[in-house]
């Protein structure tokens, strides 16, 4: 026999510490997984969403282009439809967000007969030039956001929004 005998008090202390440690790990592991798991998830697909619009059909006049992508919020997947105003400026394709920088309403091209060849926000009379620059003296405080664009197999692909690089 060993001279280092475990007393009843030490045995109970070791046992309760071990059980408490397992219980704490059982509670903390789901919380840690919840925090870390989204970072480790691989994203399916790329950053660009295909549209049904052919790049050859675009002109200098902005047209409304709808595109749909799958959005994942935790375990809930949903299809989201978004819109962009797309036109050609020479050989360059421009895609602008339709979201007004004033209060988030939707702007329309030639939306008001008094302001031709401008984006118009019907909520509070916000106006934007064709390149998305806000018209001075109207409610919006900044230009419309711009979408990244690229062409693949003749079709227009729309990416993430970024600050307007045209103004």
């Amino acid at each position: 026999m060993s001279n280092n005998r475990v007393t009843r008090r030490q045995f109970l202390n070791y046992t309760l510490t071990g059980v408490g440690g397992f219980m704490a790990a059982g509670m903390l592991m789901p919380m840690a997984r919840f925090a870390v798991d989204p970072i480790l998830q691989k994203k399916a697909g790329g950053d660009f969403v295909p549209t049904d619009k052919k790049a050859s059909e675009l002109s200098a006049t902005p047209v409304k282009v709808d595109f749909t992508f799958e959005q994942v919020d935790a375990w809930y997947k949903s299809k989201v439809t978004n819109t962009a105003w797309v036109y050609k400026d020479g050989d360059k394709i421009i895609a602008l967000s339709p979201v007004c920088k004033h209060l988030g309403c939707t702007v329309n091209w030639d939306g008001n007969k008094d302001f031709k060849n401008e984006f118009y926000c019907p909520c509070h009379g916000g106006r934007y030039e064709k390149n998305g620059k806000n018209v001075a003296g109207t409610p919006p405080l900044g230009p419309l956001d711009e979408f990244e664009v690229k062409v693949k197999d003749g079709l227009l692909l729309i990416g993430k929004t970024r600050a307007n690089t045209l103004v």
Side-chain angles (χ1 to χ4, degrees):
M1 282 217 170
S2 169
N3 290 338
N4 296 332
R5 301 194 80 181
V6 177
T7 64
R8 288 181 187 150
R9 180 170 282 172
Q10 287 176 327
F11 174 76
L12 187 58
N13 200 7
Y14 294 151
T15 303
L16 289 176
T17 302
V19 168
F22 279 116
M23 289 175 67
M27 289 188 311
L28 291 176
M29 284 303 293
M31 288 188 260
R33 173 121 191 227
F34 179 76
V36 174
D37 200 35
I39 297 169
L40 301 177
Q41 291 288 330
K42 291 184 179 178
K43 295 182 180 177
D47 293 336
F48 287 87
V49 177
T51 66
D52 58 354
K53 195 70 167 171
K54 292 182 181 177
S56 60
E57 295 175 352
L58 296 173
S59 67
T61 303
V63 292
K64 194 177 205 180
V65 176
D66 294 327
F67 56 99
T68 303
F69 58 94
E70 188 175 84
Q71 179 175 318
V72 179
D73 292 324
W75 61 90
Y76 182 71
K77 293 181 182 179
S78 61
K79 293 233 181 233
V80 178
T81 300
N82 207 346
T83 302
W85 285 102
V86 183
Y87 67 95
K88 270 190 177 176
D89 186 21
D91 288 340
K92 186 176 180 185
I93 297 175
I94 310 293
L96 296 175
S97 171
V99 180
C100 180
K101 289 299 207 163
H102 178 229
L103 290 176
C105 298
T106 303
V107 300
N108 290 306
W109 178 251
D110 276 343
N112 188 322
K113 60 182 168 94
D114 296 332
F115 307 110
K116 291 289 182 189
N117 297 323
E118 287 184 354
F119 289 105
Y120 180 75
C121 177
C123 293
H124 295 102
R127 293 171 35 214
Y128 298 90
E129 296 174 8
K130 185 177 177 181
N131 63 1
K133 180 180 178 187
N134 53 311
V135 175
T138 63
L141 300 175
L144 293 173
D145 287 334
E146 181 183 359
F147 285 105
E148 296 175 354
V149 293
K150 75 177 179 181
V151 177
K152 183 178 180 184
D153 298 329
L155 293 175
L156 177 69
L157 281 80
I158 297 182
K160 297 178 181 176
T161 56
R162 61 181 177 204
N164 195 322
T165 60
L166 307 171
V167 259

